[in-house]
């Protein structure tokens, strides 16, 4: 044994065989003992998936030994901002993190995240908005009004010819007082 050798160095135990050694377990030797490596950079020598530069996952571990856990994890789900708190997220405002942050949801279905009355499945109203996010405005609105045909254009509608719409179609009025819609004098 050459105790005065100048090429003696510190070797670190690599218990998980990932190429990075345990900084707490080392030996001095000229040649590496079996299972030892020349660095002590492993922050968890019991897990071969944890070492400097490893891919970070949502697993509660500091996979890359940088002192942070689950940051920039490759398997992090997308969370979508829910500014109006209606349970539906904005498809253009999202983040990828392991745990759901406050104000974010796991879907991107909201078509107007600034209005809590607008979301998929909402009731449609006569308000010029696409309340139910189906691409159409005011269709099947629950607050439609009755309109009556005014064939003689006297301002009074025929009670037997009504339709329900959000606004008056041409030739319709909002009353049904005409008893003879074919004569403008009656």
């Amino acid at each position: 044994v050459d105790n005065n050798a100048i090429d003696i160095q510190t070797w670190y135990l690599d218990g998980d065989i990932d190429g990075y050694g345990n900084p707490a377990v080392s030996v001095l030797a000229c040649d590496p003992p079996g299972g030892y490596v020349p660095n002590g950079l492993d922050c968890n020598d019991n897990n071969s998936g944890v070492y400097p530069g490893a891919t970070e996952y949502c697993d509660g571990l500091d996979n890359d030994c940088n002192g942070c856990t689950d940051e920039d994890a490759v398997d992090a789900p997308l969370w979508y901002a829910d500014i109006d708190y209606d349970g539906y997220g904005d498809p253009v405002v999202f983040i990828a993190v392991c745990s759901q942050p406050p104000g974010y949801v796991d879907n991107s279905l909201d078509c107007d995240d600034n209005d809590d009355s607008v979301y998929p499945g909402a009731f449609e109203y006569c308000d010029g908005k696409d309340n139910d996010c189906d691409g159409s405005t005011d269709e099947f609105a629950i607050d439609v009004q009755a309109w009556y045909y005014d064939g003689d254009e006297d301002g009074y509608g025929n009670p037997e010819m009504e339709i329900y719409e959000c606004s008056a179609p041409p030739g319709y009025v909002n009353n049904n007082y005409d008893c003879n819609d074919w004569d403008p004098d009656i």
Side-chain angles (χ1 to χ4, degrees), residues 50-109:
V50 176
Y51 55 87
T55 300
E56 193 71 46
Y57 292 97
C58 291
D59 57 6
L61 299 173
D62 178 14
N63 302 94
D64 57 8
C65 294
N66 69 351
C68 299
T69 302
D70 296 343
E71 86 289 351
D72 300 323
V74 295
D75 60 344
L78 292 178
W79 301 97
Y80 300 88
D82 184 15
I83 303 296
D84 59 12
Y85 295 102
D86 60 5
Y88 296 90
D90 187 332
V92 297
V93 180
F94 58 87
I95 58 174
V97 293
C98 294
S99 298
Q100 182 176 5
Y104 285 78
V105 294
D106 65 353
N107 70 75
S108 61
L109 302 173

Side-chain angles (χ1 to χ4, degrees), residues 88-161:
Y88 296 90
D90 187 332
V92 297
V93 180
F94 58 87
I95 58 174
V97 293
C98 294
S99 298
Q100 182 176 5
Y104 285 78
V105 294
D106 65 353
N107 70 75
S108 61
L109 302 173
D110 208 335
C111 58
D112 183 351
D113 200 39
N114 292 311
D115 187 336
D116 66 356
S117 70
V118 176
Y119 55 87
F123 288 115
E124 194 70 49
Y125 291 95
C126 294
D127 57 5
K129 300 177 189 177
D130 179 13
N131 302 94
D132 58 5
C133 293
D134 69 353
S136 298
T137 302
D138 297 344
E139 83 290 355
F140 307 113
I142 64 171
D143 60 344
V144 291
Q145 181 176 339
W147 300 97
Y148 302 92
Y149 183 68
D150 183 13
D152 58 12
E153 298 179 354
D154 62 0
Y156 297 96
N158 184 336
E160 295 178 11
M161 297 182 74

Side-chain angles (χ1 to χ4, degrees), residues 10 44 181:
T10 304
N44 182 346
D181 198 37

